[in-house]
Amino acid sequence: MEQKIIKTDSGIIIEPLYCQPIAMDEKPGVFPFTRGVHPAMYRDKLWTMRQYAGFSTAEESNKRYHFLLSQGVSGLSVAFDLPTQIGYDSDHAMSEGEVGKVGVAIDSLRDMEILFKDIKLADISTSMTINATAYILLAFYIALAKQQGADIKKISGTIQNDILKEYAARGTYIYPPTPSMRLITDIFEYCSKEVPKWNTISISGYHIREAGSNAVQELAFTLANGKAYLQAAQAKGLDINVFAQRLSFFFNAHNNIFEEVAKFRAARRMWAGITKELGATDPRAQMLRFHTQTGGSTLTAHQPKNNIVRVTLQGLSAVLGGTQSLHTNGYDEALSLPTEEAASLALRTQQILAYESGATDTVDPLAGSYYVEALTNRVEADALALINKIDAMGGSVKAIENRFMQDEIARSAYAYNKAIEDKSKIIVGVNKFTSDDINKTPVFRIDDSIRRIQTEKLNQLRGSRDNSRVQTCLNTIREKATTGDNLMPSVIEAVESLCTLGEISDVLRGIWGEYRG
């Protein structure tokens, strides 16, 4: 009788039984870190429980942050609206219809003050999902920390700051790749001296996976981009043993629990090898530390409460895979931004995993599974083959310019959706086990008056600030951009002088232009 062929989402054939003996001489906390970056992992310290939030005005987002902190989150994660992400103030014509819709609108330091009202930046860790304008949002954060009296050498958090994946998968870029990479290395250089506990980049596979890649592609393209950032920083003369310690990663967690665990384990081993090959000798510079978010693209609008189970499985895969921080999606996010009820339940999911599941009792609990070990090796081998192709093209920037990554992702997305359509892949409640019940899940709605509110704030700001000082600051940024000096000190001075995000972005648009892909 012919045996049925079963594959992972990445196309790896799953054998009916795994019996190969495996070497188990690797230990957690030591090179190549397959089994974890800390010797005792969650027995010593749990992952940081983050909930991603940001919508409407800074006032409304601040209320949600206080709610989440009261429910037990240990770190905040900020979503910004599209105008903020691509460098437009809320009153710009390009912002019409988008202000406050997929994140919070931040136009100036005044908005940042409201966003974190009664929240001490010295006492929390903040992750900001921002890329093209990451240098400005980091400047806002540093300026606010200084205003609060915090020692900026001690504040901690992360900016995503991963522009390469924007060109490959997401699209919220502004400038061409070369000047964009210059901004990133300016941040590396500045923070290594002035904000040493800040994670200066979160190299993101999350959005690559959301765009339609499979697990192997997510891993390969993410690490290839990471390699490009390492090489760019080294070309600027930065010490890999210093700046690589502040690099972190951001991965997606999907439903195939064993492939996801294998992906996380392989990621650590591969990154340790990449950093060592580029000259890193300090173990802390060889470690891959990562944040995980459960898969937004796996959430269904049909039977949305099924998403509670999906998110639980995905969160468990991240924990079994050794994540350093985790965001669990609300079950209603295929319909709208999460309600407070859904956000609270998503957090409770993490807390149950942490305190009731037993998954934290031992390090790398799936190690030694013939299946998981074989999958780890296969995911690594397939991802390395893709990285070697990218290297042969001249690295990630060239691969993106040649549309290699984009085309690979598009092919995977097409195959995945075709499999759902022909029912060779079952999505419960979508293409099987469906019902005609009317969905009565309450949704979270954004008031369309947000743009008017933000415009009024901007008018008041521009009428009350020292506009001659603003012009001086913008001229300084223009000068530094052309001389090649590090831009971060000038940008921080500019935001402290109440220059807006759009004004600063426009100065660099005038010099570097916009990338059209």
Side-chain angles (χ1 to χ4, degrees), residues 182-237:
R182 178 261 177 96
L183 284 173
I184 289 168
T185 55
D186 276 4
I187 292 170
F188 288 173
E189 182 179 51
Y190 176 81
C191 288
S192 67
K193 298 172 185 174
E194 304 298 334
V195 198
K197 293 192 173 182
W198 193 266
N199 295 322
T200 51
I201 192 168
S202 177
I203 305 159
S204 176
Y206 184 84
H207 301 97
I208 291 170
R209 192 68 173 276
E210 290 293 285
S213 81
N214 60 42
V216 166
Q217 290 168 332
E218 176 193 357
L219 177 57
F221 297 162
T222 304
L223 296 193
N225 289 347
K227 188 173 181 179
Y229 293 126
L230 290 177
Q231 291 168 328
Q234 286 181 306
K236 192 162 182 161

Side-chain angles (χ1 to χ4, degrees), residues 150-170:
D151 181 349
I152 65 168
K153 290 191 181 295
K154 295 180 180 178
I155 60 171
S156 65
T158 305
I159 44 172
Q160 193 164 100
N161 198 27
D162 176 8
I163 203 65
L164 291 179
K165 68 93 175 48
E166 295 295 325
Y167 300 118
R170 191 162 175 267

Side-chain angles (χ1 to χ4, degrees), residues 187-437:
I187 292 170
F188 288 173
E189 182 179 51
Y190 176 81
C191 288
S192 67
K193 298 172 185 174
E194 304 298 334
V195 198
K197 293 192 173 182
W198 193 266
N199 295 322
T200 51
I201 192 168
S202 177
I203 305 159
S204 176
Y206 184 84
H207 301 97
I208 291 170
R209 192 68 173 276
E210 290 293 285
S213 81
N214 60 42
V216 166
Q217 290 168 332
E218 176 193 357
L219 177 57
F221 297 162
T222 304
L223 296 193
N225 289 347
K227 188 173 181 179
Y229 293 126
L230 290 177
Q231 291 168 328
Q234 286 181 306
K236 192 162 182 161
L238 302 182
D239 183 351
I240 191 171
N241 283 311
V242 176
F243 74 82
Q245 294 185 34
R246 304 320 307 172
L247 273 58
S248 66
F249 287 79
F250 176 22
F251 288 116
N252 211 313
H254 272 222
N255 292 330
N256 189 322
I257 190 167
F258 297 108
E259 185 175 36
E260 294 303 295
V261 171
K263 178 187 74 180
F264 298 135
R265 299 176 85 244
R268 281 191 292 269
R269 189 156 72 201
M270 291 171 68
W271 186 245
I274 288 169
T275 52
K276 184 177 181 180
E277 183 181 316
L278 290 176
T281 54
D282 189 322
R284 291 169 298 179
Q286 299 168 336
M287 292 178 184
L288 182 144
R289 298 165 298 113
F290 68 98
H291 169 69
T292 308
Q293 182 173 339
T294 56
S297 61
T298 69
L299 302 177
T300 63
H302 300 283
Q303 301 179 19
K305 288 189 177 178
N306 293 346
N307 294 329
I308 298 169
V309 182
R310 294 185 178 103
V311 168
T312 303
L313 287 173
Q314 293 164 6
L316 179 60
S317 77
V319 172
L320 294 174
T323 194
Q324 276 61 68
S325 76
L326 177 62
H327 164 85
T328 35
N329 291 328
Y331 69 86
D332 56 359
E333 289 190 56
L335 302 167
S336 70
L337 290 170
T339 59
E340 281 196 358
E341 178 195 20
S344 180
L345 180 57
L347 176 60
R348 294 289 179 258
T349 301
Q350 291 203 48
Q351 292 165 338
I352 290 168
L353 288 174
Y355 297 103
E356 298 185 29
S357 72
T360 63
D361 293 345
T362 190
V363 179
D364 194 18
L366 291 185
S369 156
Y370 296 145
Y371 179 39
V372 171
E373 294 293 349
L375 263 184
T376 301
N377 293 339
R378 180 59 189 275
V379 167
E380 178 183 24
D382 288 1
L384 281 173
L386 274 175
I387 290 174
N388 289 338
K389 281 187 179 180
I390 292 167
D391 285 345
M393 294 175 196
S396 279
V397 174
K398 289 293 184 184
I400 290 165
E401 290 174 346
N402 293 338
R403 295 199 58 81
F404 171 73
M405 291 187 190
Q406 296 93 312
D407 290 346
E408 289 287 307
I409 293 167
R411 273 191 286 271
S412 286
Y414 175 78
Y416 182 83
N417 283 287
K418 189 172 182 295
I420 293 173
E421 288 177 8
D422 65 23
K423 296 189 178 181
S424 59
K425 184 170 187 63
I426 300 302
I427 306 296
V428 174
V430 175
N431 62 359
K432 197 168 185 178
F433 313 113
T434 59
S435 70
D436 295 326
D437 294 345

